[in-house]
Amino acid sequence: MPGNQIFSPFGSRLLPHVVTPQAVNLEGSFISKECAAMSKAIALRIALHPELIRLLDQAIITGKPALWANLAPYMPYTNHPDICTLPKTWDRTIDGYSLSMPEECVWTTLRDWYGWGIPCAETLDVLKNKLALTKILEFGQGTGYMARVLEAAGLNVITAECFNRGYDGIGVWRLPDYNDAREMIQKNPGAPILISWPDPEASAEIISMLAPGQKVIIGGRRAYCGLQDGYLLANGFTRLYPHTYPNSLASMSGGLSGLSLWKAPA
């Protein structure tokens, strides 16, 4: 790729600055309030800072994801304080309707273009250096961004996209190797599997796919994900020590989470 050109799903157009939508006036009908809040959320959604785009895209070219400290100032996050101007006593409803969608628009900015979990330098350090991995399966690859970065860093990554339930971000950066995660696991015996942000409604389905004794690396904010510790222990999983590498996976919502290590029952 010539020069310092960065490939981005956003194309060559980089915003010169972060869009700062005007404050939303919540007077008027429900529809006008909802549309105003949505308009602002959409503006925030497309306003990823050019430096964040550069850092994330550069990781694919160099195989060297940025340190969290360099990503953090530009990361969007949930419940953005600038989504709309609200009374201090606002109960998070408008005309009795829970207004969640604007927050969700901001929250899914990185998911739709990059992923639920964003690999940073700390992620690569755990996978390559601390765990000494050379091959890894990824369950639920989404856009393929995680796999592209890890491949650029020298890991052999084989992926499947969960259950193919219509997620609109599949394949932005890389198509999955398998349409069926169960087939991926069966054809790659012994390979550890990375599952970031597991669906809390699919815990039983996920563990039914795992091979006996398979090593599992789980990322994401554990209080909000599936495959929580108590569930794994109750289903015969074994903790691998050190059980958790804290602050090692960036979140699309703007925080750092850990990577937890488990072994499926034999």
Side-chain angles (χ1 to χ4, degrees):
M1 191 167 292
N4 295 319
Q5 181 180 355
I6 305 298
F7 171 76
S8 171
F10 292 95
S12 59
R13 177 183 62 83
L14 294 181
L15 299 177
H17 60 277
V18 176
V19 176
T20 306
Q22 298 298 313
V24 173
N25 181 1
L26 290 178
E27 298 301 323
S29 68
F30 162 76
I31 276 295
S32 66
K33 296 171 185 177
E34 176 74 349
C35 288
M38 281 299 297
S39 296
K40 185 162 188 180
I42 290 168
L44 288 166
R45 176 190 173 102
I46 66 173
L48 287 179
H49 195 285
E51 178 62 10
L52 177 61
I53 295 172
R54 188 189 71 80
L55 290 170
L56 294 175
D57 294 359
Q58 186 71 31
I60 285 179
I61 297 172
T62 64
K64 297 179 180 179
L67 286 165
W68 166 249
N70 294 333
L71 293 172
Y74 308 109
M75 296 284 277
Y77 52 92
T78 56
N79 301 316
H80 197 291
D82 294 329
I83 284 177
C84 46
T85 301
L86 300 163
K88 291 183 179 179
T89 57
W90 188 48
D91 63 358
R92 306 195 68 75
T93 66
I94 291 181
D95 296 345
Y97 176 78
S98 178
L99 187 64
S100 61
M101 211 36 215
E103 287 89 343
E104 289 166 8
C105 276
V106 177
W107 185 55
T108 57
T109 302
L110 287 184
R111 186 203 69 181
D112 285 353
W113 286 109
Y114 294 98
W116 291 94
I118 305 297
C120 53
E122 291 84 348
T123 311
L124 190 59
D125 179 56
V126 170
L127 298 178
K128 283 195 72 174
N129 300 329
K130 293 184 170 65
L131 299 180
L133 296 178
T134 57
K135 177 180 179 179
I136 191 170
L137 308 182
E138 186 189 359
F139 177 88
Q141 74 132 49
T143 67
Y145 178 75
M146 175 84 74
R148 282 287 303 271
V149 172
L150 297 181
E151 285 171 334
L155 287 173
N156 179 9
V157 185
I158 299 172
T159 70
E161 170 44 37
C162 291
F163 318 108
N164 289 315
R165 291 176 174 167
Y167 169 55
D168 60 2
I170 294 174
V172 171
W173 299 95
R174 179 193 192 279
L175 292 175
D177 298 302
Y178 290 87
N179 291 323
D180 183 346
R182 195 181 302 273
E183 181 185 5
M184 175 184 71
I185 292 168
Q186 291 173 348
K187 290 187 176 180
N188 294 277
I193 186 165
L194 172 65
I195 307 175
S196 60
W197 288 86
D199 184 346
E201 297 182 2
S203 292
E205 191 171 359
I206 293 171
I207 65 173
S208 74
M209 297 181 181
L210 301 177
Q214 185 164 23
K215 294 180 179 178
V216 183
I217 305 160
I218 305 173
R221 296 172 65 183
R222 303 293 286 126
Y224 302 96
C225 298
L227 300 180
Q228 294 194 13
D229 291 7
Y231 185 87
L232 293 172
L233 290 170
N235 281 275
F237 281 70
T238 304
R239 299 177 190 266
L240 297 180
Y241 291 96
H243 170 53
T244 300
Y245 291 97
N247 302 324
S248 53
L249 179 65
S251 162
M252 63 178 178
S253 60
L256 271 179
S257 61
L259 291 171
S260 300
L261 310 180
W262 294 86
K263 184 177 181 180

